[in-house]
Structures are given as structure tokens and as C-alpha cells.
Amino acid sequence: MTDDRPRVLVVRLDSFGDVLVAGPAVRAVAAGASHVTMLCGPQGAPAAALLPGVDQVRVWAAPWVTETARPIDDAVLGEFRALVTEVQPDEAVVLTSFHQSPLPVALLLRLAGVPRITGASVDHPGSLLDVRLRPGEDLPEELPEPERALRIAEAAGFRLPSGDTGGLAVRRDAAAPAVVAALDRYVVVHPGASVPARSWPEARHRELVAAYAERGVPVVVTGSPGERELTASVAGTTGIDLGGRTSPAELAAVLAGAEVVVVGNTGPAHLAAAVGAPVVSLFSPVVPAVKWAPYAPLVELLGDQSAPCRLSRARECPVPGHPCLSDVRVEDVLAAHERLLDRASRMEHTNLRGTTDARA
């Protein structure tokens, strides 16, 4: 018996967090496809490996993506064509954020022979897209990124299966390190961010870890291999430093067990949302929170969202003193933590009451 469903290439070429928020769209595609390959850049590929519905991950560093910029030449084009030829997709769904165009990769996909391509483009695509959404017209501008990606998948004809509510999700097939698994309770503090403009000051992170220690709350400090110096400084003598010591799957397990995760606008914030952890989001307004805040019910957003840097997409803070985040105090984080615990308790009570009522 043959499977008449299409083989689909889902394209998301930038960062770890960008790929995570594409998860609901990927699951929608998987519900209607015979095979799903996800094409990512080097930064995003580890996130793609965590997404339910992905059968295969392929990596290609796009010359127009900031983190992977490289000269474009015949060798790069041949590399892309060989990859697509190997995957043999019947169609491609190109996922982009509001400030990105799908047309460069759509051109390469078309040259590689992909017969059907879907994307969202402000610019007229000519023959490059078979299904086009128009941002600001049939695709609202102020959508959270997971919903935006899902709209693009839906335009291609793929919808979430019954019972899938469209939240972020990852595979949960790794255990937390023993030093964390042995704890009855803990908070995760993730001090790093992809760019300085999105970072709460290092000194504030250290003060926060010390404040939790004074309250008898263990703190696990997480970070990438390139952030080991930062995590060691923030952990000090009281925190548990896991900087550079966890795989993405292990990090997901660490975040899943946390009472609260304190994190900036960076990939692990979306990973925390995907595993259901309550999140204190230290969010710089250089990008809009409506699009990029952690997509989860238990989130406390801190940071001045009307600061002068608002919507600047700056990588280095353009305002002296970095006030949007520097003005957030340790006491503000601790208060947000308590609000999250209260909301979680009330949600649990409501859910239990609903279950009881349904049985009655």
C-alpha cells in the first residue's frame, strides 16, 4: 500500500529559538505528510532534533542569515541543490519572521526542482511561491511567532490534528544531570543571551542567585559552552553551575523540573515554555514581546516595554545605561516568582475542580 501524502521540506534557517517556536507548524505538517525533513542553519539544527514530527534534520548555512553569513558562489548553490535532490521533497513550507523574506530560499528551492512552495512575502513573489500569504493583509502583523508559523503551514494545507492545542512542545527523552535530579526543588537562572541588548546585567544575576541562597532555594545556572565564564561568575559559591555541561535535551529536562526559570529573550526561554516551566522573562523591547515572549500560560514579563530602544532590533543597547532591563531589581524577580507560584496553584485548583465536575 502506497502513502500518497507528500514528502515535505520545512525550512527555518536561523536560531535555536526560532526553530523551537516553529514547533506547532511542524506538527501540523507532520499530520498531513508522509515524511518531514527540517532544513535549518547550524544554530537551529539542535532545536529541530527536539521537535515532534521531524523525521530528518538537514543543515545548511544560508549566506543571508546573520549568524551564518558567507559568500554565495557556485559551490554553495551546488551544496543546496545536492541537499534538496537527496531529500526529494514534493513541496516546501518556508517559515520566516515578520522581518524576513522567503524569496531567497524559494528561488533556490525552485532552481532545485521543488514543485510547490509556500511562504509569507510582502514582496510580490512572481513564480517563486505557489501559495503566498501577505503580511499585514491575510496574515496579521501582531501574531506570536508560533501562530504566525502555523498560519503559513495552514495556508499550505496542513492543520494540527484533533487534540493538539498548538502549544510549544519538545521530545522528552533525556534525564537531567544527577546533581539536579537529586534536588527536591530548584530555580533555574539562565544569564546568557544571544546579543548584549537582551541581557540583564551580570551583577544582577549574581545578586539574584545570592538572594535565592539566603532563602534556602537551590539555584541551577545554565548556559552554552561559550558562556562558561559567565555562568561560573553568576553561580558563585552557592549556585550549581551547569554552563556548557548539558545537551539541548538535557537542558530541557533541567528546565522541566524547575520551580521557576529566570531567563532573557533567548532560545532557552522558548525551551522552558515548551516543557511547561513557569518563566520570569527578562525581556528587552528591542523586538516586540507580542511576537517573541515565551509562548506559555505561566509567564511574568519584566522589563520596560516602552523604553526608547523599543522595536529597534538593536544588538548593542543604543540607550546609555541599558535602562529597559537595568531598572529591573532582584526584588522584582522574586515578586514575579511568587506571582507565578500563585497562578500555577490557582490553575491546578481550577483544573482539578473541572475534572471533579466532569465526573459528577
Side-chain angles (χ1 to χ4, degrees):
M1 183 176 179
T2 60
D3 190 340
D4 294 330
R5 297 177 300 167
R7 292 174 59 86
V8 183
L9 181 67
V10 178
V11 182
R12 182 76 215 212
L13 291 173
D14 32 17
S15 74
F16 188 92
D18 297 314
V19 172
L20 284 179
V21 299
V26 170
R27 298 198 306 274
V29 172
S34 64
H35 186 277
V36 176
T37 297
M38 193 150 193
L39 177 61
C40 302
Q43 289 78 20
L50 297 176
L51 294 181
V54 174
D55 297 301
Q56 179 185 37
V57 179
R58 297 304 306 268
V59 181
W60 187 70
W64 56 86
V65 175
T66 303
E67 288 77 11
T68 59
R70 56 177 176 159
I72 189 163
D73 53 25
D74 288 341
V76 171
L77 299 180
E79 178 185 305
F80 186 89
R81 184 186 293 270
L83 185 154
V84 174
T85 299
E86 181 182 333
V87 172
Q88 294 186 320
D90 298 304
E91 62 179 284
V93 177
V94 182
L95 303 178
T96 50
S97 294
F98 69 99
H99 59 280
Q100 298 167 327
S101 171
L103 299 186
V105 74
L107 173 61
L108 299 187
L109 289 165
R110 192 66 89 201
L111 289 173
V114 178
R116 186 173 190 261
I117 305 170
T118 298
S121 179
V122 172
D123 297 319
H124 190 272
S127 62
L128 299 184
L129 296 178
D130 299 283
V131 180
R132 174 201 179 192
L133 284 171
R134 297 166 178 81
E137 298 179 40
D138 46 16
L139 182 64
E141 296 281 14
E142 297 303 311
L143 286 176
E145 283 292 304
E147 295 180 22
R148 185 182 203 274
L150 188 57
R151 291 283 189 97
I152 297 172
E154 288 172 346
F158 300 105
R159 285 171 174 74
L160 288 168
S162 176
D164 190 328
T165 58
L168 302 189
V170 291
R171 294 186 171 107
R172 305 277 289 276
D173 52 9
V179 67
V180 175
L183 298 173
D184 291 328
R185 66 180 293 216
Y186 61 91
V187 169
V188 168
V189 172
H190 188 93
S194 58
V195 297
R198 302 183 187 184
S199 299
W200 199 38
E202 181 179 331
R204 290 288 170 83
H205 281 104
R206 285 198 301 269
E207 293 169 14
L208 179 64
V209 173
Y212 275 123
E214 289 176 2
R215 290 159 174 75
V217 180
V219 177
V220 176
V221 182
T222 58
S224 69
E227 294 169 337
R228 285 180 172 173
E229 184 176 341
L230 172 64
T231 60
S233 172
V234 168
T237 59
T238 59
I240 298 170
D241 180 14
L242 288 186
R245 295 175 174 87
T246 58
S247 68
E250 290 168 335
L251 178 59
V254 170
L255 297 172
E259 183 172 292
V260 163
V261 176
V262 182
V263 61
N265 179 20
T266 189
H270 304 297
L271 189 56
V275 298
V279 179
V280 176
S281 174
L282 298 162
F283 199 96
S284 166
V286 292
V287 295
V290 67
K291 299 176 185 291
W292 285 109
Y295 192 66
L298 288 173
V299 176
E300 283 283 331
L301 197 72
L302 300 182
D304 182 2
Q305 299 306 301
S306 62
C309 64
R310 181 176 179 270
L311 307 184
S312 66
R313 293 179 50 213
R315 299 174 71 86
E316 299 282 346
C317 181
V319 182
H322 195 26
C324 69
L325 288 181
S326 294
D327 288 349
V328 176
R329 304 167 303 164
V330 167
E331 292 79 6
D332 298 326
V333 176
L334 296 174
H337 180 148
E338 293 304 317
R339 291 194 298 270
L340 283 170
L341 294 186
D342 180 63
R343 285 168 55 196
S345 176
R346 286 188 281 114
M347 286 173 61
E348 182 178 2
H349 177 72
T350 300
N351 291 338
L352 288 173
R353 186 176 59 189
T355 301
T356 302
D357 292 344
R359 288 176 178 173

